[in-house]
């Protein structure tokens, strides 16, 4: 079994009065990366109480459960390689083809339980943007799109409650304006819901886009999102309405201009 440590959203480290020493923290992360989970499991079991005082506990908790719940099996077989496979050719008979493929299986129940625990812990540290994005990223990886969308909406709501006074850990950085950093990280996750091309994806995409409008009514993103969705579903009157609102906010947005122009030519 291999484990994946999500370098952007999950490798987090915070400094609090009872935080882990940086060296110890990174040692646990290395254990998870190397699939040496026993020591990490002991730490988590013996230090449950610190979940209320130290965000590091939740960071390690998330990494551990995602690593434990993710199994990779390597398959070597004869046949045609598919996208993502490593193609093999028999040395003494080039006509014989084979492939190497990594097959990933996920224990979604275990990982979902960890996500819900992390969401509960996050109530004590609502300004830890790393953990917000960590939950979103893991939910996306296991296909828990409802959890993912709910966390994006929670992030938007929290951003207003804390006036975007976000904190970020030692791995990676929060560059520039915290509000802009948060929104620019949120947008591609929202777009992924649109690309699902499913009823569930559309519903969740609408929910997040409406939250963008609710909490950031003076930004084009929520209106442009809904314009694109309703254009794709051929609800052209709704699409035009949202695109026109987006242009009221930012008349120079070329993408919205082009999309609205296209809709205006549809009879």
């Amino acid at each position: 079994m291999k484990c994946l440590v999500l370098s952007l959203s999950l490798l987090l480290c915070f400094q609090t009065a009872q935080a882990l020493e940086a060296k110890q923290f990174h040692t646990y992360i290395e254990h998870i990366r190397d699939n040496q989970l026993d020591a990490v499991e002991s730490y988590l079991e013996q230090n449950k109480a610190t979940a209320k005082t130290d965000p590091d506990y939740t960071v390690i908790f998330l990494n551990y459960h995602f690593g434990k719940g993710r199994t990779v099996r390597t398959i070597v077989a004869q046949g045609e390689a598919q996208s993502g496979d490593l193609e093999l050719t028999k040395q003494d008979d080039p006509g014989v083809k084979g492939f190497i493929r990594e097959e990933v299986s996920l224990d979604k129940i275990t990982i979902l339980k960890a996500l819900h625990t992390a969401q509960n812990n996050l109530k004590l540290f609502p300004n830890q943007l790393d953990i917000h994005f960590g939950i979103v990223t893991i939910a996306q990886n296991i296909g828990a799109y409802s959890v993912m969308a709910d966390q994006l909406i929670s992030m938007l709501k929290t951003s207003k409650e804390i006036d975007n006074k976000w904190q970020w850990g030692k791995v990676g950085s929060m560059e520039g304006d915290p509000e802009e950093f948060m929104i620019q990280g949120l947008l591609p996750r929202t777009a992924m819901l649109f690309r699902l091309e499913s009823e569930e994806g559309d519903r969740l995409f609408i929910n997040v886009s409406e939250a963008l409008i609710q909490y950031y009514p003076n930004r084009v993103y929520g209106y442009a999102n809904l314009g694109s969705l309703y254009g794709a579903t051929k609800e052209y009157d709704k699409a035009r309405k949202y695109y026109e609102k987006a242009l009221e906010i930012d008349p120079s947005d070329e993408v919205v201009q082009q999309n609205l122009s296209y809709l205006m030519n549809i009879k």
Side-chain angles (χ1 to χ4, degrees), residues 82-138:
Q82 300 177 6
S83 176
D85 294 346
L86 178 63
E87 187 176 46
L88 302 175
T89 302
K90 192 173 181 180
Q91 189 171 9
D92 58 355
D93 187 354
V96 177
K97 303 291 185 181
F99 60 86
I100 298 176
R101 177 182 304 155
E102 285 194 341
E103 189 173 81
V104 179
S105 61
L106 296 166
D107 181 352
K108 292 187 178 182
I109 294 176
T110 294
I111 298 173
L112 273 174
K113 287 181 179 178
L115 287 176
H116 292 315
T117 298
Q119 287 177 318
N120 191 54
N121 293 350
L122 190 57
K123 295 174 184 177
L124 299 167
F125 312 101
N127 60 346
Q128 304 295 348
L129 185 58
D130 303 65
I131 299 180
H132 282 277
F133 276 129
I135 293 169
V136 167
T137 302
I138 290 180

Side-chain angles (χ1 to χ4, degrees), residues 220 243 247 250-262:
V220 301
Y243 279 142
L247 287 181
D250 184 1
S252 66
D253 191 308
E254 294 182 0
V255 174
V256 174
Q257 288 174 356
Q258 293 171 4
N259 289 342
L260 182 58
S261 176
Y262 171 77

Side-chain angles (χ1 to χ4, degrees), residues 199-223:
E199 290 186 8
E200 180 195 23
D202 289 353
R203 175 177 58 81
L204 297 174
F205 181 77
I206 290 171
N207 291 346
V208 178
S209 298
E210 288 180 343
L212 270 165
I213 292 172
Q214 177 182 353
Y215 296 110
Y216 290 92
N218 295 322
R219 287 180 171 258
V220 301
Y221 305 118
Y223 305 103

Side-chain angles (χ1 to χ4, degrees), residues 19-192:
L20 280 168
E21 294 291 333
K23 183 177 180 180
Q24 186 181 11
F25 173 84
H26 288 291
T27 295
Y28 286 131
I29 293 299
E30 287 295 326
H31 286 331
I32 295 169
R33 181 181 289 116
D34 297 335
N35 198 30
Q36 299 172 358
L37 300 181
D38 289 348
V40 184
E41 185 174 359
S42 295
Y43 161 76
L44 292 172
E45 185 63 30
Q46 294 168 14
N47 293 275
K48 287 182 179 179
T50 64
K52 298 180 179 179
T53 59
D54 183 4
D56 281 343
Y57 181 91
T58 297
V59 174
I60 294 172
F61 180 88
L62 275 172
N63 278 280
Y64 167 80
H65 283 283
F66 185 72
K68 185 177 180 180
R70 184 180 185 273
T71 303
V72 179
R73 184 165 65 101
T74 301
I75 300 172
V76 181
Q78 186 173 322
E80 291 295 325
Q82 300 177 6
S83 176
D85 294 346
L86 178 63
E87 187 176 46
L88 302 175
T89 302
K90 192 173 181 180
Q91 189 171 9
D92 58 355
D93 187 354
V96 177
K97 303 291 185 181
F99 60 86
I100 298 176
R101 177 182 304 155
E102 285 194 341
E103 189 173 81
V104 179
S105 61
L106 296 166
D107 181 352
K108 292 187 178 182
I109 294 176
T110 294
I111 298 173
L112 273 174
K113 287 181 179 178
L115 287 176
H116 292 315
T117 298
Q119 287 177 318
N120 191 54
N121 293 350
L122 190 57
K123 295 174 184 177
L124 299 167
F125 312 101
N127 60 346
Q128 304 295 348
L129 185 58
D130 303 65
I131 299 180
H132 282 277
F133 276 129
I135 293 169
V136 167
T137 302
I138 290 180
Q140 179 179 341
N141 270 272
I142 67 171
Y145 301 119
S146 180
V147 175
M148 173 185 169
D150 287 346
Q151 194 63 42
L152 291 172
I153 293 169
S154 175
M155 191 187 306
L156 288 166
K157 180 175 182 290
T158 301
S159 73
K160 287 300 185 180
E161 293 172 346
I162 66 171
D163 193 26
N164 281 293
K165 291 183 172 60
W166 294 111
Q167 293 187 17
W168 194 267
K170 291 181 180 178
V171 178
S173 62
M174 182 169 57
E175 299 177 358
D177 176 65
E179 176 183 321
E180 190 65 24
F181 182 89
M182 181 271 299
I183 289 180
Q184 293 306 319
L186 176 144
L187 291 176
R189 273 85 171 186
T190 306
M192 190 281 301

